[in-house]
Amino acid sequence: DQQVKQNSPSLSVQEGRISILNCDYTNSMFDYFLWYKKYPAEGPTFLISISSIKDKNEDGRFTVFLNKSAKHLSLHIVPSQPGDSAVYFCAPQTGANNLFFGTGTRLTVIP
Amino acid sequence: DAGVIQSPRHEVTEMGQEVTLRCKPISGHNSLFWYRQTMMRGLELLIYFNNNVPIDDSGMPEDRFSAKMPNASFSTLKIQPSEPRDSAVYFCASSLTRGGNQPQHFGDGTRLSIL
């Protein structure tokens, strides 16, 4: 039972342009929604999060949007940089601090 | 500032052998999580501890898997006996508190190969 889906396994973007990564979920009980970035041979690294009571959170080049009625969130990176190339995981969280990871989207930023 | 430390980074062993994976969480964190990553199932939670007590082990696949946290600075995940289908990357993570907007911090994982 996949509660979290990232339907795009990969995404390629030119340096300087916007990267948009999408995530859909089914469980309306999630309290927070986190994004993690993962480089090869390393563990996931926390990037940004949003509370279920908000619809937008911004941190520098990274902005996360939440549409609760559609059970959809997205991560915007602008401008994209080659160092952003990694696998990005959407990870909704319950009140018990349980994370449910999506399957990930591999972002490649082309110089 | 040391992050979550896992050892070994790589483990190759034969089927039937006992495997022990180790984790040192970030000092002061009181929640610890063990995950497994495979191509088929992605990242899945195996078990988590709060204040050294196992809270939810429903993700542990079989009785061959066991986890302990004897103190706040050390945890182990043991597989006995190991099988080829246990081959995966195992991650340990810790967080400051249970619940709320406290991100989990991950170690770099142990890549386990069972021949």
Side-chain angles (χ1 to χ4, degrees):
Chain A
D1 182 22
Q2 275 269 340
Q3 297 194 54
V4 185
K5 290 185 179 179
Q6 294 178 254
N7 291 319
S8 298
S10 63
L11 174 68
S12 291
V13 172
Q14 284 290 136
E15 180 179 3
R17 306 295 289 267
I18 185 171
S19 297
I20 300 176
L21 297 96
N22 294 303
C23 176
D24 297 293
Y25 62 95
T26 56
N27 188 343
S28 58
M29 300 301 290
F30 290 132
D31 286 339
Y32 288 90
F33 300 85
L34 288 73
W35 284 93
Y36 280 81
K37 178 170 73 172
K38 187 181 182 304
Y39 293 117
E42 294 184 11
T45 302
F46 170 70
L47 187 60
I48 190 171
S49 65
I50 187 168
S51 164
S52 60
I53 63 173
K54 295 189 175 182
D55 55 19
K56 178 183 175 181
N57 187 31
E58 188 173 351
D59 183 2
R61 297 185 297 114
F62 303 91
T63 303
V64 57
F65 296 91
L66 175 63
N67 182 335
K68 284 192 70 176
S69 60
K71 293 190 174 67
H72 176 84
L73 68 156
S74 61
L75 173 68
H76 293 211
I77 307 172
V78 57
S80 301
Q81 300 174 353
D84 296 329
S85 297
V87 177
Y88 288 79
F89 292 95
C90 166
Q93 182 184 62
T94 65
N97 206 9
N98 289 0
L99 287 176
F100 293 81
F101 281 86
T103 49
T105 297
R106 181 177 300 278
L107 173 66
T108 302
V109 180
I110 304 165
Chain B
D1 190 18
V4 175
I5 300 172
Q6 291 187 246
S7 64
R9 287 299 311 274
H10 303 274
E11 174 88 13
V12 181
T13 191
E14 292 189 345
M15 174 178 172
Q17 297 296 308
E18 178 179 293
V19 173
T20 300
L21 310 181
R22 296 172 176 80
C23 175
K24 176 179 170 57
I26 292 172
S27 177
H29 283 191
N30 59 359
S31 291
L32 183 139
F33 307 81
W34 282 101
Y35 289 86
R36 178 171 69 174
Q37 184 181 33
T38 61
M39 289 292 292
M40 291 295 294
R41 300 174 66 88
L43 261 165
E44 52 181 346
L45 178 68
L46 299 178
I47 185 171
Y48 77 87
F49 295 83
N50 191 52
N51 292 323
N52 312 340
V53 177
I55 301 300
D56 183 356
D57 65 354
S58 60
M60 296 285 260
E62 299 172 34
D63 290 344
R64 298 184 295 106
F65 286 69
S66 63
K68 293 183 179 179
M69 192 165 185
N71 58 61
S73 58
F74 183 65
S75 177
T76 60
L77 177 67
K78 189 171 292 187
I79 308 172
Q80 166 63 22
S82 57
E83 296 183 5
R85 60 193 167 120
D86 301 330
S87 298
V89 181
Y90 291 81
F91 290 102
C92 176
S94 69
S95 69
L96 192 57
T97 61
R98 178 167 170 259
N101 187 22
Q102 297 295 337
Q104 295 176 22
H105 299 264
F106 285 74
D108 286 337
T110 295
R111 182 174 294 276
L112 177 64
S113 297
I114 308 298
L115 306 177

